[in-house]
Amino acid sequence: MASYQVPRKFPTTVVGSYPKLGPAEEAIRRRKKGEISEEEFHRIARDAIKMVVEDYLWAGVDIISDGEQTREDMVVYFAERLEGYSPGDWVRVFDNVYFRKPVVTGRISWRQPMIIDDWEYARSISGGRPVKVILTGPYTMLEWSFDLHYGDRREMIFDLAKAIRREIEEAVARGAEYVQVDEPALSTRPFREEAELLKEALEIVFNGIPAKRIVHICFGRLERILPYILDYPVDQFDLEMKNSNFRLLPYLKEYGFDKELGFGVVDVHSFQVESVEEIKAAIDMLMKADIIGPEKVYIDPDCGLKRLPREIARQKLRNMVEAARLAREEW
Amino acid sequence: MRVRAQVLGGYPRPRHVRRALRAAERGEADWTSVSRALEAASAAVIGVQVASGLDVVVDGLLDWHDIFRPFASMWRNVTPTALLRYFDNNFFYRIPLFTAEPEPTEPVLAPRARTYAPLAEPARLKAIVPGPVTFALMSEVRGGLKREELAEAIARLLAEEARLAVEAGAGFLQIDEPILGDPEVGEDEARLAADLASEIASKSGAPESMVAVYFYPPDRRVYEALASARVDYVMVDMVDASGRGLDVVAEAGPARRGVAAGLIDARSIYRDRYERVRDAAARLAKALSDGMDLILTTSTWLDLIPYSYSVKKTRLLGLYAERIAEDLGVEFTGGWGVG
Ligand SMILES: [Zn+2]
């Protein structure tokens, strides 16, 4: 594998998901119909992962992902592959769009590798760039599943955490350097007791894991719980910032934030491509706020790019990379 | 004191309704087949509620994509736009965009009251409106309109909506103000919500009215502001936040005609433990005087769980209400005079 030097300052990265490309959609559809095995499913999706990686390389992103091409839904994907889950019944997401909200009907445990195949494939074609291992976090799995087995949130989240850790260990044993868990559900319930529950779970997930440990949290009113999350056992907080107009920055300053920051500078809800100047200005603003040094700042989009058209996602990333390059010259 | 039971709001769509809607959206079927499916499904959920002993029932609101949508689609100067997460749910509503003060066109609620009130016999049909403060705060506003003015304008339209619905046969009015459970909502918003709810309830002429706060319990001052409004009941979510809503209501006391307790968990599919529900009801009963009602209800709408579970939860609600009445030695209104 070719070696790749990640920039010391302002490395660029992605949160994880990318628009679903043709072969992935096809693979998901055929798997649902029961036409293909799990192995074939991942093999067909490789064509999509390859296109995603090509887009990342074209844009110049330093630390990439597999684009989560095989994950139709961030909770369902894992629920289908963990012990203890059943498919569940239809629940509305919006309008007349429904998904099968998974149900926990037995004790949750790890069964076999879930995301390793896609991740390893992405690594094999990344030209040496690190590929993040990305998993849905225990709190989000807890909140976005129904429970018929535990009747106790603590017990359930700790079993989820153990299962997720097992997958991480699998990845680290194969050389994973960056491990991220996604917790979008946390900011929907910005309460101290919830933040503390996740902290306990993350200790199970991450303690002693020899890799860069990242938690991604997005949207909602994170400032309410910031004091209770800052001592999470992670190296990096990856946060949505652009969409909320960088509202969190003064709070980070106030609470003496000194971990690494995944700094969201691209709005994933807007089809408007941010200009290089606009993104550079956001980085400048962070630097002027004097919270952390440039070697602790990772530049990335607010969240996954899956809801954007591919062309817009590509262009947003390219401008982001260029802005980071300019920032490196200045800071 | 009497014990009553009612579901808070909408039901999930059964499969045949989802399919009919999807077919019509794709142009593969016409909209009359959707109407037929909706009417049949509404009749079914009304039947489930009446048979479960609920004396006030909902038609299921099965055609509503979210609580604001029918109004945001029907009124002038407002349109549904981008999706946004609806409170802490994995469900998204479309943000209403107001470009000026809204103006009414055709009524939203009256036609459904005319269709479904007769099907509810011997129960009464409930009309549900989004609270004007929640509506205004969860919308996007352009054109210099202030939030408070917008809330007032929305309240005027909803009052007329409610009046027409009551005229068409609705026997109970519910005004949903979930945003008042937000810990950052202050007394000003609570007082505004109370004033506007009073206005809607009194102009509507509804025999009974209720304001509902769910997804998180209101703090005590917010609850007290609402309980002093000219509405009969204030419904409080007593499931979320470890049931803190129960303390708030037990300590602050009932609204004019009693308490509406959201004790059946509408967001889980777990079978609620009877003892928890009964103990809470018994505690609330101590705060009620003789002529008052204890309304047992769901912690929020039932539309966030699968259809089959919404039916199970409805049955559980009626069953528990009847058992609680028995345990407390008081009347249960949903017995329909049968054995
Ligand atoms: Zn995110």
Side-chain angles (χ1 to χ4, degrees):
Chain A
M1 198 178 286
S3 75
Y4 177 81
Q5 198 58 48
V6 173
R8 199 176 58 81
K9 294 185 286 185
F10 305 121
T12 55
T13 185
V14 286
V15 174
S17 74
Y18 200 71
K20 289 277 177 309
L21 304 180
E25 282 183 329
E26 169 80 4
I28 288 169
R29 199 179 51 76
R30 290 185 61 195
R31 182 174 173 274
K32 255 191 210 164
K33 283 190 176 165
E35 293 173 3
I36 49 174
S37 67
E38 177 80 3
E39 262 186 349
E40 285 172 294
F41 170 62
H42 287 281
R43 202 182 60 232
I44 297 169
R46 284 184 172 194
D47 289 342
I49 295 172
K50 184 155 187 282
M51 289 152 81
V52 173
V53 171
E54 281 166 3
D55 280 10
Y56 287 151
L57 298 188
W58 173 83
V61 178
D62 299 306
I63 303 159
I64 65 169
S65 75
D66 60 25
E68 299 178 15
Q69 291 295 295
T70 55
R71 307 184 203 176
E72 192 184 10
D73 176 273
M74 66 182 294
V75 171
V76 174
Y77 182 87
F78 293 97
E80 284 178 343
R81 289 161 178 84
L82 285 169
E83 196 65 46
Y85 270 97
S86 302
D89 209 340
W90 299 94
V91 174
R92 179 163 58 180
V93 189
F94 64 93
D95 293 357
N96 195 40
V97 174
Y98 284 70
F99 86 119
R100 290 181 87 124
K101 184 165 171 175
V103 183
V104 175
T105 51
R107 179 147 192 204
I108 294 164
S109 63
W110 186 89
R111 196 159 46 191
Q112 81 256 318
M114 299 179 281
I115 58 156
I116 301 293
D117 192 81
D118 294 352
W119 168 73
E120 288 208 305
Y121 176 67
R123 285 177 96 200
S124 73
I125 55 169
S126 72
R129 287 170 205 243
V131 181
K132 259 190 208 176
V133 167
I134 300 160
L135 299 116
T136 303
Y139 186 83
T140 299
M141 291 296 294
L142 168 80
E143 282 294 294
W144 293 353
S145 314
F146 287 126
D147 167 40
L148 280 179
H149 175 76
Y150 288 90
D152 180 305
R153 297 172 78 231
R154 289 176 65 81
E155 258 183 66
M156 179 165 150
I157 197 174
F158 296 154
D159 277 353
L160 280 163
K162 285 174 204 157
I164 292 164
R165 180 188 178 93
R166 181 75 178 73
E167 183 79 359
I168 291 173
E169 285 170 346
E170 199 76 25
V172 169
R174 298 174 200 218
E177 301 160 84
Y178 296 83
V179 179
Q180 173 181 303
V181 299
D182 293 341
E183 289 289 12
L186 181 66
S187 51
T188 69
R189 310 193 72 196
F191 308 119
R192 181 177 185 163
E193 62 268 29
E194 301 300 300
E196 288 173 347
L197 179 63
L198 176 55
K199 183 185 170 193
E200 286 184 66
L202 286 180
E203 276 160 4
I204 297 174
V205 170
F206 276 140
N207 271 356
I209 293 289
K212 186 86 79 187
R213 301 159 304 170
I214 306 164
V215 62
H216 164 72
I217 309 173
C218 50
F219 307 106
R221 277 175 272 183
L222 203 56
E223 64 272 20
R224 285 188 193 169
I225 47 168
L226 210 50
Y228 316 117
I229 69 172
L230 290 179
D231 61 344
Y232 277 4
V234 298
D235 304 296
Q236 182 179 136
F237 282 91
D238 181 58
L239 304 174
E240 162 262 318
M241 289 273 182
K242 170 75 178 168
N243 182 267
S244 53
N245 202 18
F246 307 99
R247 192 186 64 217
L248 270 180
L249 284 185
Y251 295 97
L252 292 179
K253 174 97 181 164
E254 182 185 338
Y255 294 118
F257 182 87
D258 67 350
K259 294 204 159 151
E260 289 178 358
L261 176 66
F263 186 47
V265 292
V266 161
D267 188 354
V268 302
H269 289 168
S270 162
F271 286 10
Q272 185 84 39
V273 175
E274 291 81 1
S275 68
V276 173
E277 297 71 41
E278 190 181 355
I279 299 171
K280 168 71 167 38
I283 301 173
D284 291 345
M285 180 170 59
L286 173 66
M287 286 298 95
K288 284 176 192 152
D290 192 26
I291 301 166
I292 44 173
E295 65 290 335
K296 281 189 168 182
V297 178
Y298 288 64
I299 304 298
D300 70 352
D302 277 350
C303 189
L305 300 170
K306 64 180 172 194
R307 286 189 209 284
L308 291 173
R310 179 184 181 186
E311 209 28 64
I312 290 176
R314 257 161 66 91
Q315 200 55 56
K316 281 187 182 236
L317 289 176
R318 183 137 171 158
N319 287 3
M320 179 185 91
V321 168
E322 176 59 13
R325 191 188 64 76
L326 293 175
R328 254 169 243 140
E329 289 174 1
E330 186 171 337
W331 298 97
Chain B
M1 192 198 99
R2 301 183 303 173
V3 175
R4 306 166 66 182
Q6 56 180 265
V7 160
L8 201 66
Y11 275 74
R13 290 175 187 147
R15 185 167 45 203
H16 74 99
V17 171
R18 296 198 304 270
R19 288 190 173 164
L21 259 172
R22 201 172 318 129
E25 282 164 358
R26 287 180 183 158
E28 291 162 5
D30 62 26
W31 288 92
T32 54
S33 62
V34 176
S35 305
R36 265 200 308 276
L38 283 167
E39 280 182 25
S42 294
V45 297
I46 289 170
V48 167
Q49 294 168 81
V50 174
S52 300
L54 280 50
D55 70 338
V56 170
V57 301
V58 295
D59 66 43
L61 307 173
L62 300 169
D63 51 333
W64 291 18
H65 286 335
D66 59 60
I67 190 171
F68 311 114
R69 193 75 58 89
F71 306 98
S73 306
M74 194 69 101
W75 294 344
R76 267 191 287 274
N77 303 330
V78 52
T79 36
T81 59
L83 294 166
L84 188 65
R85 184 178 298 287
Y86 188 57
F87 294 91
D88 56 342
N89 302 293
N90 202 5
F91 167 72
F92 298 78
Y93 76 105
R94 288 197 185 275
I95 307 165
L97 168 65
F98 285 89
T99 47
E101 262 194 26
E103 290 167 14
T105 54
E106 299 292 305
V108 170
L109 300 175
R112 56 195 320 133
R114 208 165 291 124
T115 306
Y116 296 121
L119 305 190
E121 183 188 354
R124 282 181 294 149
L125 185 77
K126 175 155 77 173
I128 298 175
V129 296
V133 171
T134 298
F135 205 147
L137 289 178
M138 293 179 70
S139 295
E140 199 181 328
V141 189
R142 289 198 197 138
L145 201 58
K146 289 207 183 73
R147 296 267 173 197
E148 190 173 336
E149 291 164 7
L150 176 61
E152 286 164 359
I154 290 171
R156 282 194 294 277
L157 266 59
L158 291 175
E160 181 61 6
E161 276 283 352
R163 190 186 69 77
L164 293 171
V166 169
E167 210 173 78
F172 193 104
L173 174 66
Q174 176 180 312
I175 303 163
D176 284 22
E177 289 284 18
I179 208 154
L180 295 185
D182 188 314
E184 272 175 22
V185 161
E187 279 175 82
D188 289 350
E189 284 100 338
R191 265 193 296 274
L192 179 63
D195 288 347
L196 298 179
S198 300
E199 180 189 335
I200 297 170
S202 57
K203 281 189 185 161
S204 74
E208 293 184 285
S209 57
M210 172 164 97
V211 175
V213 184
Y214 46 84
F215 296 137
Y216 205 73
D219 77 25
R220 178 153 178 176
R221 284 168 308 173
V222 168
Y223 174 78
E224 282 173 344
L226 293 175
S228 66
R230 274 174 288 131
V231 293
D232 301 310
Y233 308 95
V234 177
M235 176 274 170
V236 170
D237 177 341
M238 298 185 181
V239 170
D240 284 279
S242 319
R244 227 174 281 159
L246 172 63
D247 298 332
V248 171
V249 177
E251 284 158 23
R256 296 201 303 196
R257 286 163 77 167
V259 157
L263 282 165
I264 300 292
D265 189 350
R267 293 201 283 179
S268 87
I269 59 175
Y270 219 72
R271 188 185 165 95
D272 302 77
R273 272 183 49 243
Y274 175 68
E275 292 70 23
R276 174 183 63 81
V277 179
R278 181 203 54 207
D279 293 351
R283 187 171 162 206
L284 291 168
K286 290 200 189 104
L288 298 181
S289 48
D290 277 354
M292 288 185 163
D293 287 347
L294 171 62
I295 298 178
L296 191 67
T297 184
T298 50
S299 62
T300 180
W301 293 21
L302 285 174
D303 65 342
L304 296 162
I305 54 177
Y307 182 74
S308 60
Y309 286 98
S310 74
V311 172
K312 287 180 197 171
K313 289 272 176 176
T314 307
R315 190 175 130 65
L316 205 65
L317 172 65
L319 206 64
Y320 283 7
E322 187 160 11
R323 272 177 75 182
I324 287 167
E326 251 173 57
D327 285 358
L328 298 177
V330 299
E331 184 196 344
F332 173 58
T333 57
W336 311 127
V338 185

